[in-house]
Amino acid sequence: MDGTSSTHQSVHWDGAVNAWKIAGDVYRMGRHEWVSGDGWQQMYDDGVRTVIDLRASRERRQRDTDPEVPDDVKARIDVVHCPTEDPDHSQFSELFGPYLRDPAQYGDYLQLFGEKVAAVFKAIAASPGKVVVHCSAGRDRSGMIALMLQRLAGMDDQEILAGYELAARGINERHRTHGAPHAHDPYLPDEQLEAMLAERLAALRSFLASLDVAGFLTDNGLSPEELGAVRAKVGAGAGFSA
């Protein structure tokens, strides 16, 4: 996969890692701290007005290797902190280990943090322009939000699976060139990567079979108007049900 299809367009904002168009006016990527000043300008020029940060508070920090970005460049894009999880929850380590990293965990994650996940969609609905959602690697937390948006946009399982695969390959390549930040999520050579992807894509297919996005969001506090606004962001017709 080369990421050049109309469904999964790679995005070339300077410094952005694992950046892809999800659907309509919504994008995904890894940490926003990787984006350079030029990249922030490019996001703005492309119509992005909101960046939604899915990470826990403890993850939101500047690293020595991150580019310095002038405050006035960032100020034109609203960075909304909307964590999808509470890593201090008593069940977190038992269910997810050090962090969410496998679609086999998505069902438990939505059950445990339903209101937090739904809050991300409220933020998307309220955003005035194009939106970027990001986590750390740009794979699982942003990937879970992405697949829910893709489902609302009417994409089929194969398109959603392709999006997950692109993100998994994308961060693995980042780990190859820049080093992996965690010993439990290392760079994987081709044979190991393919084996991992086979397992995770099978788990993702099973998860998708049980997923009712509109029902989940409604049950967790999204109003019909907010759901309609999210659908409009991803280019779905108002009458579409997912």
Side-chain angles (χ1 to χ4, degrees):
M1 297 180 188
D2 60 9
T4 58
S5 73
S6 60
T7 304
H8 301 109
Q9 297 172 356
S10 59
V11 182
H12 303 289
W13 301 319
D14 187 61
V17 174
N18 228 1
W20 307 90
K21 182 176 181 178
I22 295 173
D25 289 341
V26 190
Y27 303 81
R28 62 186 290 186
M29 68 180 184
R31 310 170 59 246
H32 74 254
E33 293 89 353
W34 281 325
V35 181
S36 71
D38 287 344
W40 282 87
Q41 180 65 52
Q42 290 160 350
M43 283 198 292
Y44 184 85
D45 291 344
D46 282 346
V48 172
R49 295 297 179 268
T50 306
V51 169
I52 300 176
D53 186 343
L54 308 178
R55 299 171 298 173
S57 295
R58 68 184 65 165
E59 299 175 79
R60 304 179 76 219
R61 63 186 187 277
Q62 193 82 4
R63 299 174 184 170
D64 292 342
T65 53
D66 293 333
E68 292 289 337
V69 179
D71 290 340
D72 62 320
V73 175
K74 278 188 177 180
R76 293 180 298 170
I77 297 177
D78 191 20
V79 178
V80 178
H81 184 214
C82 206
T84 56
E85 65 191 31
D86 174 9
D88 294 321
H89 191 286
S90 59
Q91 291 182 272
F92 188 89
S93 294
E94 173 190 349
L95 292 172
F96 314 117
Y99 51 76
L100 182 72
R101 54 177 176 165
D102 189 330
Q105 302 167 331
Y106 287 4
D108 287 336
Y109 195 88
L110 291 184
Q111 185 171 1
L112 198 62
F113 300 123
E115 290 187 2
K116 289 183 177 294
V117 171
V120 176
F121 290 82
K122 287 178 175 285
I124 293 171
S127 300
K130 294 182 179 180
V131 183
V132 178
V133 295
H134 81 84
C135 51
S136 182
R139 183 184 59 202
D140 286 292
R141 284 170 291 185
S142 57
M144 186 182 60
I145 299 298
L147 70 86
M148 295 172 76
L149 290 165
Q150 289 169 323
R151 184 65 100 204
L152 288 176
M155 295 184 189
D156 62 25
D157 284 7
Q158 203 55 42
E159 291 175 297
I160 294 171
L161 290 164
Y164 182 87
E165 182 173 347
L166 283 170
R169 291 186 184 278
I171 197 60
N172 191 63
E173 177 62 15
R174 169 77 181 188
H175 291 165
R176 183 186 70 81
T177 58
H178 289 73
H182 306 292
H184 40 256
D185 197 8
Y187 165 71
L188 298 177
D190 288 348
E191 185 175 345
Q192 293 179 42
L193 178 64
E194 298 306 323
M196 180 271 284
L197 280 172
E199 290 182 3
R200 292 189 181 179
L201 290 171
L204 181 55
R205 192 180 293 277
S206 296
F207 172 71
L208 289 171
S210 65
L211 181 63
D212 171 12
V213 177
F216 168 83
L217 293 173
T218 300
D219 289 347
N220 284 280
L222 228 68
S223 70
E225 294 76 17
E226 288 169 326
L227 188 56
V230 173
R231 284 186 169 133
K233 283 286 188 198
V234 296
F240 183 81
S241 177

